[in-house]
Amino acid sequence: MHYCFGYCKDCQTVHSLPSAQAIPYCYELMEQLRQHQRIDFDLPEALANPLLSTDVLYSEMRGRMFGILVCEDRQGKEVVLRAFSSRHNGVWNVDNWVPPLVDEHRFKATVSAGDVDIHPLTDLISGLRKGSKEWLEKVAERRIVSQGVLARLYALYTLHNFKGEQRSLQGAFNTSKGIPVGTGDCCAPKLLNYAAIHQLKPLSLAEFFWGKETASGHRREGDFQVACSEKCQPILGYMLCGAGV
Ligand SMILES: [Zn+2]
Ligand SMILES: [Zn+2]
């Protein structure tokens, strides 16, 4: 089974990573989450950060994806990396989990700067008659401003691959459709980017869902999932390039 794959424009082929070797580590991680009900389970309970409890995964926020990447370092020693998708309860960086692709503070600063441009427009729009000429103009203007903010956020992401190359999100993204919000924040890109930067050879990757099932019932706790087609598959071809599997 290959849960992690994507089409590489450069090689004109699909690159993928097998999942089998990562599966037992996923079960181990599920057991840790079940037992400790927090993601900072490496720490003694007295030092646990309340924000890192898994309670949020059973709230209306629902569950999220977790992932394992098994790698080999230059000496051939096995290294097991783990990731949670996006943020956990608003927390970006947790010890012993791979970090996000973007710097938290630069990301937040960019969002705040964008809000300064967007909020006055939103206020203005709310005071206009819906559907009027001016309303339509201001809605269009706000869309352009938001797209600019999004482009600045995307520019903060740099994707690394296993040929020692790096590319922007726009450069790596492999469809002409717009880049969805949150691209690069899933487990697979976090894990692969970390491995590429640290000269680790990726061997096996698997991702599973943990927490309250999604509203559609499509994802249930403990389910393994294929890398998502809208955000991950379009960048994984590039990110896996040079991994040699
Ligand atoms: Zn994804
Ligand atoms: Zn390639």
Side-chain angles (χ1 to χ4, degrees):
M1 187 65 196
H2 291 65
Y3 291 112
C4 177
F5 55 87
Y7 182 80
C8 174
K9 283 185 277 193
D10 297 5
C11 305
Q12 301 196 343
T13 186
V14 174
H15 297 313
S16 66
L17 262 190
S19 302
Q21 216 182 323
I23 301 281
Y25 291 105
C26 287
Y27 284 125
E28 221 171 84
L29 178 53
M30 290 182 204
E31 197 42 48
Q32 300 268 51
L33 295 171
R34 191 180 288 127
Q35 243 180 53
H36 299 279
Q37 293 178 31
R38 53 192 172 95
I39 69 165
D40 56 351
F41 48 74
D42 299 306
L43 292 174
E45 194 145 12
L47 298 176
N49 177 351
L51 285 175
L52 300 179
S53 150
T54 54
D55 288 355
V56 66
L57 304 177
Y58 299 91
S59 71
E60 282 317 299
M61 300 287 287
R62 300 183 184 267
R64 59 177 52 253
M65 297 298 293
F66 289 81
I68 293 280
L69 176 62
V70 181
C71 318
E72 204 175 70
D73 71 10
R74 281 176 165 174
Q75 285 73 45
K77 196 170 141 277
E78 186 181 81
V79 178
V80 179
L81 303 174
R82 59 183 190 225
F84 52 87
S85 64
S86 192
R87 274 71 90 175
H88 183 90
N89 212 4
V91 182
W92 293 56
N93 289 283
V94 180
D95 285 351
N96 299 319
W97 296 82
V98 294
L101 271 68
V102 284
D103 176 75
E104 174 179 356
H105 303 288
R106 287 181 65 196
F107 188 93
K108 286 179 175 166
T110 306
V111 171
S112 315
D115 283 347
V116 172
D117 297 332
I118 294 169
H119 276 169
L121 279 169
T122 303
D123 291 345
L124 190 65
I125 288 165
S126 69
L128 297 171
R129 189 167 54 81
K130 202 175 171 184
S132 67
K133 186 168 171 285
E134 206 188 348
W135 182 88
L136 288 168
E137 278 170 10
K138 290 297 164 194
V139 167
E141 186 181 334
R142 184 175 59 181
R143 192 175 311 126
I144 290 163
V145 171
S146 320
Q147 281 165 353
V149 175
L150 220 48
R152 287 198 288 282
L153 286 176
Y154 291 154
L156 300 175
Y157 288 74
T158 303
L159 308 184
H160 294 76
N161 72 12
F162 295 93
K163 290 199 292 193
E165 299 168 347
Q166 40 183 277
R167 214 171 263 182
S168 69
L169 209 47
Q170 279 102 334
F173 202 80
N174 181 31
T175 73
S176 49
K177 283 190 254 164
I179 301 174
V181 174
T183 298
D185 293 335
C186 290
C187 297
K190 281 192 192 181
L191 290 163
L192 292 170
N193 206 57
Y194 183 91
I197 291 171
H198 293 85
Q199 279 88 46
L200 298 166
K201 181 181 160 55
L203 301 175
S204 176
L205 191 150
E207 296 172 75
F208 64 89
F209 184 81
W210 198 252
K212 183 177 175 166
E213 66 177 29
T214 50
S216 61
H218 180 62
R219 291 175 168 185
R220 285 168 316 184
E221 187 164 89
D223 280 356
F224 288 94
Q225 301 275 341
V226 168
C228 65
S229 58
E230 63 281 9
K231 292 180 283 185
C232 287
Q233 286 174 25
I235 55 173
L236 288 178
Y238 174 75
M239 297 194 82
L240 286 168
C241 196
V245 281

PDB file of all heavy atoms in Angstrom, residues 9-35:
ATOM      1  N   LYS A   9       6.397  16.780 -12.056  1.00  0.00           N
ATOM      2  CA  LYS A   9       6.453  17.407 -13.384  1.00  0.00           C
ATOM      3  C   LYS A   9       7.826  17.210 -14.019  1.00  0.00           C
ATOM      4  O   LYS A   9       7.947  17.032 -15.214  1.00  0.00           O
ATOM      5  CB  LYS A   9       6.195  18.923 -13.258  1.00  0.00           C
ATOM      6  CG  LYS A   9       4.734  19.288 -13.044  1.00  0.00           C
ATOM      7  CD  LYS A   9       4.546  20.803 -13.044  1.00  0.00           C
ATOM      8  CE  LYS A   9       4.864  21.408 -11.681  1.00  0.00           C
ATOM      9  NZ  LYS A   9       4.421  22.809 -11.546  1.00  0.00           N
ATOM     10  N   ASP A  10       8.869  17.277 -13.190  1.00  0.00           N
ATOM     11  CA  ASP A  10      10.239  17.192 -13.721  1.00  0.00           C
ATOM     12  C   ASP A  10      10.519  15.817 -14.319  1.00  0.00           C
ATOM     13  O   ASP A  10      11.109  15.703 -15.384  1.00  0.00           O
ATOM     14  CB  ASP A  10      11.263  17.477 -12.615  1.00  0.00           C
ATOM     15  CG  ASP A  10      11.128  18.889 -12.058  1.00  0.00           C
ATOM     16  OD1 ASP A  10      10.176  19.595 -12.473  1.00  0.00           O
ATOM     17  OD2 ASP A  10      11.954  19.277 -11.217  1.00  0.00           O
ATOM     18  N   CYS A  11      10.119  14.768 -13.618  1.00  0.00           N
ATOM     19  CA  CYS A  11      10.398  13.401 -14.076  1.00  0.00           C
ATOM     20  C   CYS A  11       9.254  12.844 -14.911  1.00  0.00           C
ATOM     21  O   CYS A  11       9.372  11.766 -15.479  1.00  0.00           O
ATOM     22  CB  CYS A  11      10.637  12.477 -12.887  1.00  0.00           C
ATOM     23  SG  CYS A  11      11.923  13.056 -11.769  1.00  0.00           S
ATOM     24  N   GLN A  12       8.140  13.559 -14.941  1.00  0.00           N
ATOM     25  CA  GLN A  12       6.933  13.123 -15.650  1.00  0.00           C
ATOM     26  C   GLN A  12       6.522  11.718 -15.222  1.00  0.00           C
ATOM     27  O   GLN A  12       6.233  10.852 -16.061  1.00  0.00           O
ATOM     28  CB  GLN A  12       7.150  13.205 -17.159  1.00  0.00           C
ATOM     29  CG  GLN A  12       7.502  14.626 -17.566  1.00  0.00           C
ATOM     30  CD  GLN A  12       7.361  14.858 -19.059  1.00  0.00           C
ATOM     31  OE1 GLN A  12       7.304  13.930 -19.862  1.00  0.00           O
ATOM     32  NE2 GLN A  12       7.296  16.112 -19.439  1.00  0.00           N
ATOM     33  N   THR A  13       6.543  11.523 -13.930  1.00  0.00           N
ATOM     34  CA  THR A  13       6.122  10.230 -13.393  1.00  0.00           C
ATOM     35  C   THR A  13       5.598  10.435 -11.964  1.00  0.00           C
ATOM     36  O   THR A  13       5.807  11.502 -11.383  1.00  0.00           O
ATOM     37  CB  THR A  13       7.304   9.237 -13.405  1.00  0.00           C
ATOM     38  OG1 THR A  13       6.826   7.954 -13.011  1.00  0.00           O
ATOM     39  CG2 THR A  13       8.413   9.650 -12.444  1.00  0.00           C
ATOM     40  N   VAL A  14       4.916   9.424 -11.457  1.00  0.00           N
ATOM     41  CA  VAL A  14       4.413   9.495 -10.078  1.00  0.00           C
ATOM     42  C   VAL A  14       5.491   8.965  -9.132  1.00  0.00           C
ATOM     43  O   VAL A  14       6.026   7.882  -9.352  1.00  0.00           O
ATOM     44  CB  VAL A  14       3.116   8.655  -9.931  1.00  0.00           C
ATOM     45  CG1 VAL A  14       2.671   8.603  -8.472  1.00  0.00           C
ATOM     46  CG2 VAL A  14       2.003   9.238 -10.793  1.00  0.00           C
ATOM     47  N   HIS A  15       5.831   9.765  -8.122  1.00  0.00           N
ATOM     48  CA  HIS A  15       6.715   9.286  -7.060  1.00  0.00           C
ATOM     49  C   HIS A  15       5.845   8.895  -5.877  1.00  0.00           C
ATOM     50  O   HIS A  15       4.855   9.567  -5.587  1.00  0.00           O
ATOM     51  CB  HIS A  15       7.674  10.380  -6.595  1.00  0.00           C
ATOM     52  CG  HIS A  15       8.625  10.845  -7.649  1.00  0.00           C
ATOM     53  ND1 HIS A  15       9.340   9.996  -8.452  1.00  0.00           N
ATOM     54  CD2 HIS A  15       8.980  12.098  -8.028  1.00  0.00           C
ATOM     55  CE1 HIS A  15      10.097  10.698  -9.279  1.00  0.00           C
ATOM     56  NE2 HIS A  15       9.892  11.985  -9.050  1.00  0.00           N
ATOM     57  N   SER A  16       6.248   7.828  -5.187  1.00  0.00           N
ATOM     58  CA  SER A  16       5.456   7.415  -4.032  1.00  0.00           C
ATOM     59  C   SER A  16       6.363   6.803  -2.971  1.00  0.00           C
ATOM     60  O   SER A  16       7.515   6.480  -3.237  1.00  0.00           O
ATOM     61  CB  SER A  16       4.393   6.398  -4.456  1.00  0.00           C
ATOM     62  OG  SER A  16       5.025   5.214  -4.889  1.00  0.00           O
ATOM     63  N   LEU A  17       5.813   6.679  -1.788  1.00  0.00           N
ATOM     64  CA  LEU A  17       6.509   6.025  -0.678  1.00  0.00           C
ATOM     65  C   LEU A  17       5.614   4.910  -0.167  1.00  0.00           C
ATOM     66  O   LEU A  17       4.412   5.120   0.009  1.00  0.00           O
ATOM     67  CB  LEU A  17       6.699   7.013   0.479  1.00  0.00           C
ATOM     68  CG  LEU A  17       8.000   7.767   0.678  1.00  0.00           C
ATOM     69  CD1 LEU A  17       7.958   8.455   2.026  1.00  0.00           C
ATOM     70  CD2 LEU A  17       9.211   6.864   0.566  1.00  0.00           C
ATOM     71  N   PRO A  18       6.186   3.741   0.114  1.00  0.00           N
ATOM     72  CA  PRO A  18       5.362   2.669   0.690  1.00  0.00           C
ATOM     73  C   PRO A  18       4.969   3.004   2.132  1.00  0.00           C
ATOM     74  O   PRO A  18       5.604   3.834   2.773  1.00  0.00           O
ATOM     75  CB  PRO A  18       6.274   1.436   0.640  1.00  0.00           C
ATOM     76  CG  PRO A  18       7.658   1.975   0.549  1.00  0.00           C
ATOM     77  CD  PRO A  18       7.580   3.335  -0.083  1.00  0.00           C
ATOM     78  N   SER A  19       3.944   2.357   2.623  1.00  0.00           N
ATOM     79  CA  SER A  19       3.418   2.679   3.956  1.00  0.00           C
ATOM     80  C   SER A  19       3.654   1.592   4.991  1.00  0.00           C
ATOM     81  O   SER A  19       3.620   1.877   6.195  1.00  0.00           O
ATOM     82  CB  SER A  19       1.921   2.968   3.864  1.00  0.00           C
ATOM     83  OG  SER A  19       1.703   4.025   2.969  1.00  0.00           O
ATOM     84  N   ALA A  20       3.903   0.368   4.555  1.00  0.00           N
ATOM     85  CA  ALA A  20       3.894  -0.784   5.484  1.00  0.00           C
ATOM     86  C   ALA A  20       4.789  -0.585   6.711  1.00  0.00           C
ATOM     87  O   ALA A  20       4.359  -0.833   7.840  1.00  0.00           O
ATOM     88  CB  ALA A  20       4.305  -2.049   4.740  1.00  0.00           C
ATOM     89  N   GLN A  21       5.997  -0.111   6.499  1.00  0.00           N
ATOM     90  CA  GLN A  21       6.951  -0.008   7.609  1.00  0.00           C
ATOM     91  C   GLN A  21       6.502   1.015   8.661  1.00  0.00           C
ATOM     92  O   GLN A  21       6.863   0.924   9.836  1.00  0.00           O
ATOM     93  CB  GLN A  21       8.303   0.404   7.041  1.00  0.00           C
ATOM     94  CG  GLN A  21       9.495  -0.229   7.727  1.00  0.00           C
ATOM     95  CD  GLN A  21      10.798   0.282   7.120  1.00  0.00           C
ATOM     96  OE1 GLN A  21      10.889   0.504   5.905  1.00  0.00           O
ATOM     97  NE2 GLN A  21      11.796   0.490   7.961  1.00  0.00           N
ATOM     98  N   ALA A  22       5.734   2.003   8.243  1.00  0.00           N
ATOM     99  CA  ALA A  22       5.291   3.056   9.171  1.00  0.00           C
ATOM    100  C   ALA A  22       4.064   2.646   9.982  1.00  0.00           C
ATOM    101  O   ALA A  22       3.780   3.240  11.028  1.00  0.00           O
ATOM    102  CB  ALA A  22       4.998   4.339   8.395  1.00  0.00           C
ATOM    103  N   ILE A  23       3.349   1.640   9.506  1.00  0.00           N
ATOM    104  CA  ILE A  23       2.072   1.279  10.143  1.00  0.00           C
ATOM    105  C   ILE A  23       2.223   0.864  11.617  1.00  0.00           C
ATOM    106  O   ILE A  23       1.485   1.371  12.471  1.00  0.00           O
ATOM    107  CB  ILE A  23       1.335   0.164   9.330  1.00  0.00           C
ATOM    108  CG1 ILE A  23       1.072   0.640   7.894  1.00  0.00           C
ATOM    109  CG2 ILE A  23       0.069  -0.297  10.034  1.00  0.00           C
ATOM    110  CD1 ILE A  23      -0.087   1.562   7.683  1.00  0.00           C
ATOM    111  N   PRO A  24       3.174  -0.021  11.959  1.00  0.00           N
ATOM    112  CA  PRO A  24       3.295  -0.392  13.383  1.00  0.00           C
ATOM    113  C   PRO A  24       3.593   0.820  14.273  1.00  0.00           C
ATOM    114  O   PRO A  24       3.105   0.891  15.403  1.00  0.00           O
ATOM    115  CB  PRO A  24       4.474  -1.371  13.415  1.00  0.00           C
ATOM    116  CG  PRO A  24       4.649  -1.836  12.010  1.00  0.00           C
ATOM    117  CD  PRO A  24       4.125  -0.758  11.114  1.00  0.00           C
ATOM    118  N   TYR A  25       4.359   1.787  13.745  1.00  0.00           N
ATOM    119  CA  TYR A  25       4.646   2.999  14.530  1.00  0.00           C
ATOM    120  C   TYR A  25       3.385   3.847  14.686  1.00  0.00           C
ATOM    121  O   TYR A  25       3.219   4.529  15.701  1.00  0.00           O
ATOM    122  CB  TYR A  25       5.759   3.809  13.871  1.00  0.00           C
ATOM    123  CG  TYR A  25       7.100   3.134  13.926  1.00  0.00           C
ATOM    124  CD1 TYR A  25       7.646   2.523  12.798  1.00  0.00           C
ATOM    125  CD2 TYR A  25       7.823   3.083  15.113  1.00  0.00           C
ATOM    126  CE1 TYR A  25       8.878   1.881  12.849  1.00  0.00           C
ATOM    127  CE2 TYR A  25       9.048   2.448  15.184  1.00  0.00           C
ATOM    128  CZ  TYR A  25       9.574   1.845  14.044  1.00  0.00           C
ATOM    129  OH  TYR A  25      10.784   1.214  14.111  1.00  0.00           O
ATOM    130  N   CYS A  26       2.532   3.805  13.691  1.00  0.00           N
ATOM    131  CA  CYS A  26       1.252   4.522  13.809  1.00  0.00           C
ATOM    132  C   CYS A  26       0.408   3.900  14.919  1.00  0.00           C
ATOM    133  O   CYS A  26      -0.178   4.619  15.734  1.00  0.00           O
ATOM    134  CB  CYS A  26       0.484   4.471  12.487  1.00  0.00           C
ATOM    135  SG  CYS A  26       1.182   5.520  11.203  1.00  0.00           S
ATOM    136  N   TYR A  27       0.371   2.574  14.953  1.00  0.00           N
ATOM    137  CA  TYR A  27      -0.407   1.917  16.009  1.00  0.00           C
ATOM    138  C   TYR A  27       0.161   2.248  17.384  1.00  0.00           C
ATOM    139  O   TYR A  27      -0.573   2.442  18.353  1.00  0.00           O
ATOM    140  CB  TYR A  27      -0.449   0.402  15.788  1.00  0.00           C
ATOM    141  CG  TYR A  27      -1.413  -0.003  14.680  1.00  0.00           C
ATOM    142  CD1 TYR A  27      -0.997  -0.770  13.602  1.00  0.00           C
ATOM    143  CD2 TYR A  27      -2.748   0.406  14.726  1.00  0.00           C
ATOM    144  CE1 TYR A  27      -1.879  -1.128  12.589  1.00  0.00           C
ATOM    145  CE2 TYR A  27      -3.646   0.057  13.717  1.00  0.00           C
ATOM    146  CZ  TYR A  27      -3.202  -0.714  12.638  1.00  0.00           C
ATOM    147  OH  TYR A  27      -4.073  -1.056  11.653  1.00  0.00           O
ATOM    148  N   GLU A  28       1.486   2.323  17.451  1.00  0.00           N
ATOM    149  CA  GLU A  28       2.148   2.688  18.700  1.00  0.00           C
ATOM    150  C   GLU A  28       1.743   4.101  19.129  1.00  0.00           C
ATOM    151  O   GLU A  28       1.436   4.362  20.291  1.00  0.00           O
ATOM    152  CB  GLU A  28       3.661   2.662  18.470  1.00  0.00           C
ATOM    153  CG  GLU A  28       4.491   2.071  19.568  1.00  0.00           C
ATOM    154  CD  GLU A  28       5.931   1.909  19.102  1.00  0.00           C
ATOM    155  OE1 GLU A  28       6.693   2.898  19.176  1.00  0.00           O
ATOM    156  OE2 GLU A  28       6.283   0.800  18.629  1.00  0.00           O
ATOM    157  N   LEU A  29       1.726   5.002  18.150  1.00  0.00           N
ATOM    158  CA  LEU A  29       1.348   6.393  18.421  1.00  0.00           C
ATOM    159  C   LEU A  29      -0.120   6.476  18.847  1.00  0.00           C
ATOM    160  O   LEU A  29      -0.464   7.202  19.786  1.00  0.00           O
ATOM    161  CB  LEU A  29       1.620   7.249  17.173  1.00  0.00           C
ATOM    162  CG  LEU A  29       1.249   8.724  17.233  1.00  0.00           C
ATOM    163  CD1 LEU A  29       1.876   9.423  18.444  1.00  0.00           C
ATOM    164  CD2 LEU A  29       1.697   9.433  15.941  1.00  0.00           C
ATOM    165  N   MET A  30      -0.982   5.713  18.189  1.00  0.00           N
ATOM    166  CA  MET A  30      -2.406   5.704  18.582  1.00  0.00           C
ATOM    167  C   MET A  30      -2.536   5.272  20.037  1.00  0.00           C
ATOM    168  O   MET A  30      -3.324   5.834  20.796  1.00  0.00           O
ATOM    169  CB  MET A  30      -3.199   4.713  17.710  1.00  0.00           C
ATOM    170  CG  MET A  30      -3.372   5.119  16.270  1.00  0.00           C
ATOM    171  SD  MET A  30      -4.382   3.854  15.408  1.00  0.00           S
ATOM    172  CE  MET A  30      -3.864   4.125  13.715  1.00  0.00           C
ATOM    173  N   GLU A  31      -1.740   4.259  20.412  1.00  0.00           N
ATOM    174  CA  GLU A  31      -1.788   3.744  21.776  1.00  0.00           C
ATOM    175  C   GLU A  31      -1.362   4.826  22.776  1.00  0.00           C
ATOM    176  O   GLU A  31      -1.980   4.992  23.828  1.00  0.00           O
ATOM    177  CB  GLU A  31      -0.887   2.497  21.875  1.00  0.00           C
ATOM    178  CG  GLU A  31      -1.140   1.626  23.084  1.00  0.00           C
ATOM    179  CD  GLU A  31      -2.613   1.405  23.416  1.00  0.00           C
ATOM    180  OE1 GLU A  31      -3.384   1.080  22.484  1.00  0.00           O
ATOM    181  OE2 GLU A  31      -2.994   1.590  24.598  1.00  0.00           O
ATOM    182  N   GLN A  32      -0.319   5.574  22.421  1.00  0.00           N
ATOM    183  CA  GLN A  32       0.154   6.668  23.283  1.00  0.00           C
ATOM    184  C   GLN A  32      -0.943   7.728  23.444  1.00  0.00           C
ATOM    185  O   GLN A  32      -1.180   8.230  24.548  1.00  0.00           O
ATOM    186  CB  GLN A  32       1.374   7.359  22.663  1.00  0.00           C
ATOM    187  CG  GLN A  32       2.557   6.446  22.447  1.00  0.00           C
ATOM    188  CD  GLN A  32       3.493   6.469  23.640  1.00  0.00           C
ATOM    189  OE1 GLN A  32       3.059   6.297  24.771  1.00  0.00           O
ATOM    190  NE2 GLN A  32       4.767   6.686  23.380  1.00  0.00           N
ATOM    191  N   LEU A  33      -1.587   8.070  22.338  1.00  0.00           N
ATOM    192  CA  LEU A  33      -2.634   9.099  22.379  1.00  0.00           C
ATOM    193  C   LEU A  33      -3.818   8.606  23.220  1.00  0.00           C
ATOM    194  O   LEU A  33      -4.410   9.365  23.986  1.00  0.00           O
ATOM    195  CB  LEU A  33      -3.097   9.444  20.959  1.00  0.00           C
ATOM    196  CG  LEU A  33      -2.046  10.104  20.049  1.00  0.00           C
ATOM    197  CD1 LEU A  33      -2.554  10.195  18.613  1.00  0.00           C
ATOM    198  CD2 LEU A  33      -1.676  11.498  20.563  1.00  0.00           C
ATOM    199  N   ARG A  34      -4.133   7.332  23.039  1.00  0.00           N
ATOM    200  CA  ARG A  34      -5.268   6.760  23.768  1.00  0.00           C
ATOM    201  C   ARG A  34      -4.977   6.760  25.275  1.00  0.00           C
ATOM    202  O   ARG A  34      -5.817   7.149  26.079  1.00  0.00           O
ATOM    203  CB  ARG A  34      -5.508   5.333  23.267  1.00  0.00           C
ATOM    204  CG  ARG A  34      -6.808   4.713  23.739  1.00  0.00           C
ATOM    205  CD  ARG A  34      -6.976   3.302  23.189  1.00  0.00           C
ATOM    206  NE  ARG A  34      -7.284   3.283  21.756  1.00  0.00           N
ATOM    207  CZ  ARG A  34      -6.603   2.593  20.844  1.00  0.00           C
ATOM    208  NH1 ARG A  34      -5.558   1.864  21.193  1.00  0.00           N
ATOM    209  NH2 ARG A  34      -6.959   2.629  19.576  1.00  0.00           N
ATOM    210  N   GLN A  35      -3.752   6.341  25.609  1.00  0.00           N
ATOM    211  CA  GLN A  35      -3.377   6.209  27.017  1.00  0.00           C
ATOM    212  C   GLN A  35      -3.252   7.558  27.728  1.00  0.00           C
ATOM    213  O   GLN A  35      -3.759   7.747  28.812  1.00  0.00           O
ATOM    214  CB  GLN A  35      -2.009   5.544  27.084  1.00  0.00           C
ATOM    215  CG  GLN A  35      -2.014   4.210  27.771  1.00  0.00           C
ATOM    216  CD  GLN A  35      -0.598   3.656  27.764  1.00  0.00           C
ATOM    217  OE1 GLN A  35       0.345   4.333  28.200  1.00  0.00           O
ATOM    218  NE2 GLN A  35      -0.452   2.447  27.277  1.00  0.00           N
TER     219      GLN A  35
END
